[in-house]
Amino acid sequence: MLAIKTTGLGKRYGSLTAVNDVNLEIIQGELFCLLGINGAGKTTLIKMLSCLTVPTEGDAVVGGYSIVHEARRVKHLIGVSPQETAVAPNLTVQENLALIGGLHSLSRKEMALRISELCQQLNLSSVLQRKAGKLSGGWQRRVSIAMALISRPQILFLDEPTLGLDVIARHSLWEMIRSLKGSVTILLTTHYMEEAEALCDRVGIMQNGRLITTDTVAQLCSKTNTDTLASAFVSVIQEDLL
Amino acid sequence: MKMMIFAKRCTKEILRDPLTLCFGLGFPLMILLLLHTIQSNIPAALFTLNSLAPGVAVFGLSFMTLFSATLISKDRESAFLQRLYTTPLSGIDFVLGYMLPLLPMALGQSFLCYLCAILLGLPVSIHLLFSLIGVLPMAVFHIALGLLCGSVLRVKQVSGICGALLTNLSAWLSGVWFDLNLAGDVFGFVASLLPFFHAAEWNKALLQGNAGSAVSHLFPILIYSTLTTIAAIYCFLRQMKKQ
């Protein structure tokens, strides 16, 4: 069953085309990774799919609902961790989690359970009562991801989730993301090829707003006669430029 | 329900900022004490408590603009608002969630101002209560202005425009510190076009039991409050769609 299906999805800002005619299908429980150089359109695509930006062309069905006509229904199903660590600075970590849980109508009992689960998954117990704004960048990113997960979303959008994290924190986050595989559909953007290689079922490569290819890492390497995703990525990008 | 959860968050964000408490509560009280001390050392009746206290209460409301504009512009710049836009909160939930927590704060601030004035010798009467409630239309104006500025300005611009400029405008053009006629016809005319002077006069009249004769000062406040609220809601929803 499809979790996300886009049909001719596009976004223009005046004369600038940020995303152009994207047709993408992601099946339920899949971990799909969007790759591309800066300005390729990855974040704009995620913004459209998470109902932050209205597309100027086409439509997408997310969790069975149109992002253009049924945005409110889509918002009940998704969790989003934006590129920037988006936390309420003067609220404690627990209050930040409770805020997003409350906005998704979680009951008190369910909220307490989810906070306890996320504390275990993301090792947040030691900072739970600290103000989010006083935490380091790495901790804030963990909190930001926990906020995206608190409502048990069916579909999770992670925009460069490990940006700015040290190696240990990155690997622990990878473990957490792996643990969600199968139960949650994840669309992740990253600049780290090893991250995509380690985590994703399939990758999509974007260039100048277009989705130029989607495939498994193995198939991409095979098609481009390369050994690593990084080499395959460069090969695909260069071939498209020719 | 969702709006209340969001409003609770906004309340915590504002009240947990030490600068907020320092400026929002401390500064108006300090002015009240300072001008009362000056009054007790001069023979002329320049800063009598029954006209000074309502004036300072109205002046203190200008900090509500700073609080709400700062919160909203910070939320916009930090991408926190973007995250909230992906939740099931509606546009009206956002607007009310940002505006409603500031109304009790405005009342609380005015209450403290009058309490301080009572301790300094202002007689207690029922008119105090009327004057306290009478700050509400002007509070709505200032809170809506904060929503408007927070929707279109960046954090640095907010501190300059809502912090320095607006508080000064509110102070100089209210007629609380000096008789506006002393500053010339043009100054008086400009002051009469803006709501600050009318708000000070309206609250003074309420405290002195002359509300009937001061209704003409209430209309400009209501017009400004209504128009600013409409403009603020429009600008907020517009920037929400522009995401």
Side-chain angles (χ1 to χ4, degrees):
Chain A
M1 190 182 164
L2 289 177
I4 298 172
K5 179 181 167 62
T6 73
T7 314
L9 197 63
K11 180 75 184 178
R12 289 177 205 282
Y13 296 99
S15 59
L16 175 82
T17 303
V19 171
N20 189 15
D21 192 27
V22 168
N23 295 289
L24 171 68
E25 292 186 351
I26 300 175
I27 56 170
Q28 219 166 51
E30 188 177 17
L31 203 163
F32 189 90
C33 189
L34 270 180
L35 302 173
I37 55 169
N38 287 333
K42 307 183 295 292
T43 298
T44 307
L45 180 56
I46 281 201
K47 279 186 174 179
M48 283 192 284
L49 294 175
S50 56
C51 306
L52 257 176
T53 299
V54 181
T56 48
E57 283 127 41
D59 196 357
V61 175
V62 174
Y65 300 109
S66 157
I67 59 166
V68 177
H69 305 293
E70 298 163 297
R72 283 204 82 174
R73 286 180 182 272
V74 172
K75 287 177 180 182
H76 281 282
L77 306 175
I78 62 171
V80 182
S81 176
Q83 209 172 85
E84 301 91 346
T85 47
V87 295
N90 284 330
L91 263 57
T92 66
V93 171
Q94 184 164 17
E95 286 169 339
N96 266 286
L97 294 173
L99 168 68
I100 302 296
L103 296 182
H104 280 278
S105 309
L106 258 61
S107 67
R108 274 172 185 266
K109 198 176 163 189
E110 210 178 349
M111 186 102 73
L113 179 70
R114 276 307 281 154
I115 290 175
S116 150
E117 284 173 355
L118 287 167
C119 277
Q120 283 196 329
Q121 268 185 312
L122 290 158
N123 293 323
L124 291 173
S125 304
S126 61
V127 296
L128 202 58
Q129 301 306 328
R130 286 181 60 189
K131 280 188 183 175
K134 302 280 182 198
L135 300 175
S136 69
W139 278 109
Q140 285 193 10
R141 194 156 283 277
R142 278 189 204 208
V143 174
S144 182
I145 291 170
M147 287 163 78
L149 287 168
I150 185 88
S151 61
R152 290 187 203 277
Q154 286 181 26
I155 299 158
L156 181 63
F157 296 100
L158 301 174
D159 198 359
E160 303 197 24
T162 59
L163 188 75
L165 292 188
D166 59 50
V167 179
I168 304 294
R170 181 175 297 168
H171 278 262
S172 96
L173 198 56
W174 286 5
E175 282 308 311
M176 192 276 295
I177 292 170
R178 272 199 201 101
S179 73
L180 296 170
K181 269 175 94 164
S183 57
V184 180
T185 307
I186 302 174
L187 177 55
L188 177 152
T189 73
T190 184
H191 280 292
Y192 303 115
M193 297 297 151
E194 73 275 19
E195 187 164 289
E197 219 160 358
L199 296 174
C200 297
D201 298 314
R202 279 193 307 147
V203 296
I205 298 177
M206 289 191 77
Q207 164 114 304
N208 296 329
R210 289 174 302 117
L211 184 65
I212 52 180
T213 187
T214 61
D215 222 325
T216 62
V217 173
Q219 283 293 320
L220 266 182
C221 290
S222 164
K223 278 182 192 169
T224 52
N225 285 324
T226 51
D227 298 328
T228 60
L229 178 60
S231 308
F233 173 77
V234 172
S235 174
V236 169
I237 292 285
Q238 284 177 341
E239 199 175 306
D240 184 66
L241 285 173
L242 291 174
Chain B
M1 181 62 187
K2 289 187 177 77
M3 184 276 287
M4 289 306 290
I5 292 169
F6 179 58
K8 205 170 147 190
R9 171 264 164 182
C10 294
T11 308
K12 285 179 184 170
E13 281 284 348
I14 293 171
L15 292 180
R16 286 180 188 176
D17 187 345
L19 277 177
T20 300
L21 295 176
C22 213
F23 275 94
L25 294 178
F27 193 58
L29 293 184
M30 201 184 75
I31 287 181
L32 185 69
L33 286 170
L34 181 72
L35 294 181
H36 177 69
T37 309
I38 291 173
Q39 176 61 59
S40 53
N41 288 304
I42 55 172
L46 272 181
F47 303 119
T48 54
L49 277 172
N50 64 351
S51 64
L52 181 63
V56 172
V58 166
F59 165 71
L61 296 175
S62 59
F63 289 96
M64 296 300 136
T65 306
L66 182 63
F67 299 161
S68 82
T70 305
L71 179 65
I72 297 161
S73 59
K74 272 186 182 170
D75 282 352
R76 277 175 50 227
E77 279 188 29
S78 70
F80 184 70
L81 207 47
Q82 265 191 26
R83 176 193 285 284
L84 294 179
Y85 289 157
T86 67
T87 67
L89 271 177
S90 67
I92 201 70
D93 287 336
F94 278 108
V95 170
L96 292 175
Y98 275 125
M99 289 183 75
L100 289 184
L102 284 151
L103 278 175
M105 280 186 219
L107 280 176
Q109 188 196 47
S110 298
F111 174 77
L112 282 178
C113 182
Y114 282 128
L115 189 67
C116 183
I118 290 167
L119 293 174
L120 292 172
L122 182 73
V124 179
S125 73
I126 188 70
H127 299 302
L128 260 172
L129 184 65
F130 298 151
S131 185
L132 183 65
I133 296 167
V135 300
L136 280 174
M138 194 58 179
V140 170
F141 163 74
H142 276 292
I143 295 165
L145 189 61
L147 181 66
L148 176 67
C149 293
S151 302
V152 296
L153 301 176
R154 301 182 71 81
V155 178
K156 277 187 181 174
Q157 294 170 314
V158 161
S159 57
I161 292 173
C162 300
L165 184 65
L166 182 76
T167 47
N168 272 293
L169 274 180
S170 169
W172 297 117
L173 295 170
S174 64
V176 175
W177 324 129
F178 56 88
D179 187 343
L180 291 175
N181 293 325
L182 296 175
D185 291 344
V186 175
F187 196 84
F189 176 69
V190 171
S192 72
L193 292 178
L194 295 166
F196 313 110
F197 165 70
H198 297 291
E201 288 301 309
W202 168 244
N203 268 61
K204 246 189 261 179
L206 282 174
L207 185 67
Q208 292 163 7
N210 305 323
S213 61
V215 173
S216 62
H217 289 296
L218 178 62
F219 292 126
I221 307 169
L222 292 176
I223 291 168
Y224 266 99
S225 300
T226 308
L227 293 180
T228 311
T229 304
I230 293 168
I233 292 172
Y234 171 76
C235 287
F236 184 83
L237 296 180
R238 190 165 164 263
Q239 66 82 30
M240 191 176 169
K241 277 187 183 168
K242 271 175 79 179
Q243 290 295 319

